Amino acid sequence: MREGAMPRRGGRPTVYDVAERAGVSIATVSFVFKQPGRVRDTTRADVLRAARELGYVPSASARGLANGSTGALGLYSFDMLLETAKFVSGLPSGPAEEPDPRSFPLYVDEVQRGFELECWQQGMALLLSAERSSGVSVMAGVAGRVDGLAVFPGAISTEELELTARAIPVLAFSRAPQDGAVHYVTVDNRGGVRALLAHLVDVHGVRQTRFVGAPVLPDLAERFAGYQEASARTAVPDDAPPVGAEGAGRPSSRLSWRRGAPGRAVVRERPARSHGAGRAARPGGGRPG
Amino acid sequence: MREGAMPRRGGRPTVYDVAERAGVSIATVSFVFKQPGRVRDTTRADVLRAARELGYVPSASARGLANGSTGALGLYSFDMLLETAKFVSGLPSGPAEEPDPRSFPLYVDEVQRGFELECWQQGMALLLSAERSSGVSVMAGVAGRVDGLAVFPGAISTEELELTARAIPVLAFSRAPQDGAVHYVTVDNRGGVRALLAHLVDVHGVRQTRFVGAPVLPDLAERFAGYQEASARTAVPDDAPPVGAEGAGRPSSRLSWRRGAPGRAVVRERPARSHGAGRAARPGGGRPG
DNA sequence: TTGTATGCGTTATCAC
DNA sequence: GTGATAACGCATACAA
């Protein structure tokens, strides 16, 4: 319980300061910002003026705590120093002695930009963060600050994804769909590569092709599968090992890129469980209207 | 005051739930995450297990409210649909009927990536947001959720920047330094262009140059100034109007790009005021160690 | 070592 | 139309 409504420490101004300055109660101050119509015009003006004079900025923490949601979505991506780069690209790149942020996977930018745009249009804040190869999971730290979380493929275990999904909606990019609460989204990698090869052969008359990259991730595996399906049309036998397969950083055991592997690339969505009092974020969701 | 320690609504699990499950008090749960050494090993194990079983994720809102800081830094950039694009590039681009996010100023990505990297290394979360040409200031909404805010040059008025700076440290990119609480950072645009021209002329033997872009922003004005300073060496008279100067969206009056304009490009920092109990964010600050 | 109690700033439910 | 006041979830002095 505050003693009256003292300006308190030297911190940022709060509703109490604004209320005191405007000669009203904190409830009124809150109303002015959340339900303007509920306050008399003159009162509202007083409050707004006081707020501006004080440089009042509402605390998102308090706000989030009070209404149970943060108003932000999270995007969790790769280790920013690319210590997992070769795992991502599937290409051998030697033990990068000095990680260079500039070699960050470029496609990430595009996806990220799209995410930013959507958040922007939805009026949601975007919280960016990335995995750290060293140290504990940062995911938990992120999950606590957002209403929903999208995750790039990486070192995050499915178990941890599912765990996080118990707290907030989680969307995993290009991951093999699993049973659980996590949402998965991917693209038709197989068909894409087939079309690509068909184009190269039919339109450009290419006769020599080779698949470059180690199919250690679902996406790459799918692409390799598509490559094999279509490679009968090229001069390269479809059992030629993909370039870089041997040199891949982690000899990943989580995926066997056997011939004719099952599972078409697919977009799989699970209905979000209701979290709390019906709140629900929609990472990657459609636009309104 | 909670009644005992009921699991409450259907929301995310809280310290109360974990505490109940582990048979300890909420304080102990908190200690386990914040001061692990203060808790007995067995107790800690119990708590961690309970937390994991429940899928407990600490609320950043509550945490932020309790300790007075959010642990996140903000980066505020352009309107994502580029309605201010031509203002940014200085190039006439016609009234983009259908704004295309793909034409977003590219250099932004580089700066943003650097900011991300630094935040990542500092263990801080990064909150991205952008101005909206329509509607009220989003800045306030951002300022409330971060400990410090970096702002790209754009439609944000100096007044608003200063206002925000009363609540949290604000860093403005490529803006003409002002007196106030806002921090400013820019680069040697003038010298850069001089060097560029020298290189073109001396090394590549270029004899024909033209400055493209309307110097409506401080940075561009500086570049134009540098261009003029060095253009005596080219075949183009230094008073040739820069291409696109006429077509610039806003005939900005905030900057007169008069010849020999004063003010060298400069990095200007102001010591951050102490906010609250000595807390201080350091947007763009150096690395530890 | 662990538990109790209180504050953090906002929201929202009541009274008035 | 406004004003008290109880949550919200966590951190932390202060007790025990």
Side-chain angles (χ1 to χ4, degrees):
Chain A
M1 311 299 172
R2 284 168 179 287
E3 305 289 335
M6 301 300 294
R8 308 144 311 112
R9 332 154 302 169
R12 347 213 288 212
T14 72
V15 276
Y16 289 91
D17 303 317
V18 178
E20 183 182 22
R21 182 143 222 218
V24 298
S25 75
I26 63 165
T28 301
V29 175
S30 185
F31 289 151
V32 166
F33 289 101
K34 303 286 291 186
Q35 313 173 40
R38 192 170 161 176
V39 184
R40 187 185 304 158
D41 288 26
T42 58
T43 309
R44 174 155 17 98
D46 290 346
V47 171
L48 287 176
R49 182 165 41 70
R52 201 163 179 80
E53 288 171 350
L54 263 51
Y56 167 71
V57 169
S59 158
S61 293
R63 199 179 287 232
L65 181 56
N67 60 14
S69 74
T70 67
L73 293 182
L75 185 54
Y76 194 77
S77 64
F78 306 111
D79 182 317
M80 295 219 62
L81 283 183
L82 258 218
E83 301 181 40
T84 59
K86 52 177 180 264
F87 180 57
V88 168
S89 70
L91 285 176
S93 59
E97 296 83 6
E98 195 136 351
D100 184 348
R102 288 175 300 181
S103 54
F104 200 79
L106 289 182
Y107 82 90
V108 169
D109 278 337
E110 278 199 72
V111 176
Q112 185 173 306
R113 175 73 61 208
F115 205 88
E116 287 173 28
L117 181 60
E118 191 62 30
C119 284
W120 181 77
Q121 292 182 319
Q122 300 283 338
M124 295 227 119
L126 204 197
L127 195 79
L128 285 187
S129 52
E131 77 184 59
R132 312 194 65 137
S133 44
S134 58
V136 229
S137 163
V138 194
M139 272 260 285
V142 186
R145 11 180 32 119
V146 298
D147 295 332
L149 183 61
V151 185
F152 274 97
I156 300 96
S157 69
T158 299
E159 180 194 356
E160 187 167 0
L161 284 178
E162 288 295 343
L163 203 55
T164 306
R166 294 181 57 175
I168 57 173
V170 171
L171 172 65
F173 293 158
S174 67
R175 280 227 171 205
Q178 308 275 324
D179 284 320
V182 175
H183 300 214
Y184 293 91
V185 54
T186 177
V187 295
D188 184 13
N189 284 294
R190 192 182 292 220
V193 171
R194 274 204 307 266
L196 174 61
L197 242 69
H199 177 82
L200 285 176
V201 172
D202 298 343
V203 178
H204 298 284
V206 168
R207 293 274 148 238
Q208 276 265 354
T209 71
R210 191 78 183 277
F211 187 89
V212 178
V216 286
L217 284 179
D219 272 355
L220 289 172
E222 284 295 324
R223 288 174 206 156
F224 185 56
Y227 174 80
Q228 289 182 303
E229 288 169 12
S231 62
R233 306 183 57 176
T234 73
V236 178
D238 67 357
D239 56 331
V243 176
E246 341 64 36
R250 316 179 191 181
S252 171
S253 63
R254 44 170 128 155
L255 184 80
S256 56
W257 86 85
R258 55 180 175 270
R259 224 49 104 56
R264 308 176 281 109
V266 60
V267 175
R268 178 133 157 275
E269 283 272 355
R270 293 185 158 279
R273 300 182 313 149
S274 65
H275 296 276
R279 325 161 194 146
R282 15 212 276 263
R287 320 190 170 169
Chain B
M1 310 298 171
R2 285 168 177 286
E3 304 291 332
M6 301 299 294
R8 311 144 310 111
R9 333 154 303 169
R12 344 214 291 213
T14 73
V15 277
Y16 290 90
D17 302 317
V18 177
E20 183 182 22
R21 182 144 226 230
V24 298
S25 76
I26 65 164
T28 301
V29 175
S30 185
F31 288 151
V32 167
F33 290 100
K34 302 285 291 187
Q35 312 173 41
R38 192 170 161 175
V39 182
R40 188 184 303 157
D41 288 28
T42 57
T43 309
R44 176 157 15 100
D46 290 346
V47 172
L48 287 176
R49 181 166 40 72
R52 202 162 180 82
E53 289 171 350
L54 262 50
Y56 167 70
V57 169
S59 158
S61 294
R63 197 178 285 226
L65 183 56
N67 59 16
S69 74
T70 67
L73 293 182
L75 186 54
Y76 193 77
S77 63
F78 307 109
D79 181 316
M80 295 218 63
L81 283 183
L82 258 218
E83 301 180 40
T84 60
K86 51 177 180 266
F87 180 58
V88 168
S89 70
L91 285 177
S93 59
E97 296 84 7
E98 194 136 352
D100 184 347
R102 287 174 301 180
S103 55
F104 200 79
L106 289 182
Y107 83 89
V108 169
D109 279 338
E110 277 198 73
V111 175
Q112 183 174 307
R113 175 73 61 207
F115 205 89
E116 288 173 28
L117 181 60
E118 191 62 29
C119 285
W120 181 77
Q121 291 182 321
Q122 300 282 337
M124 296 227 117
L126 204 197
L127 196 79
L128 285 187
S129 52
E131 77 185 58
R132 313 193 66 136
S133 43
S134 58
V136 230
S137 162
V138 194
M139 272 259 287
V142 186
R145 13 184 27 124
V146 297
D147 296 332
L149 182 61
V151 184
F152 274 97
I156 301 94
S157 70
T158 300
E159 181 194 356
E160 188 168 359
L161 284 178
E162 287 295 344
L163 203 56
T164 307
R166 293 180 59 173
I168 56 173
V170 172
L171 172 64
F173 293 157
S174 67
R175 280 227 170 207
Q178 308 275 324
D179 284 319
V182 174
H183 300 214
Y184 294 90
V185 54
T186 177
V187 296
D188 184 12
N189 285 293
R190 191 181 294 220
V193 171
R194 274 203 308 266
L196 174 62
L197 241 69
H199 177 84
L200 285 175
V201 173
D202 297 342
V203 178
H204 298 284
V206 168
R207 293 274 150 236
Q208 277 266 355
T209 69
R210 190 80 182 275
F211 187 90
V212 178
V216 286
L217 284 178
D219 272 355
L220 290 171
E222 283 296 323
R223 287 174 206 155
F224 186 55
Y227 174 81
Q228 289 182 304
E229 288 170 11
S231 62
R233 306 182 58 174
T234 73
V236 178
D238 67 356
D239 57 330
V243 175
E246 342 65 35
R250 316 179 192 181
S252 172
S253 63
R254 45 170 127 155
L255 184 80
S256 55
W257 85 85
R258 55 181 174 270
R259 241 13 128 60
R264 306 176 285 110
V266 59
V267 176
R268 177 132 158 278
E269 283 271 356
R270 292 184 158 279
R273 298 184 313 149
S274 65
H275 295 273
R279 323 162 195 146
R282 14 210 275 263
R287 319 188 172 168

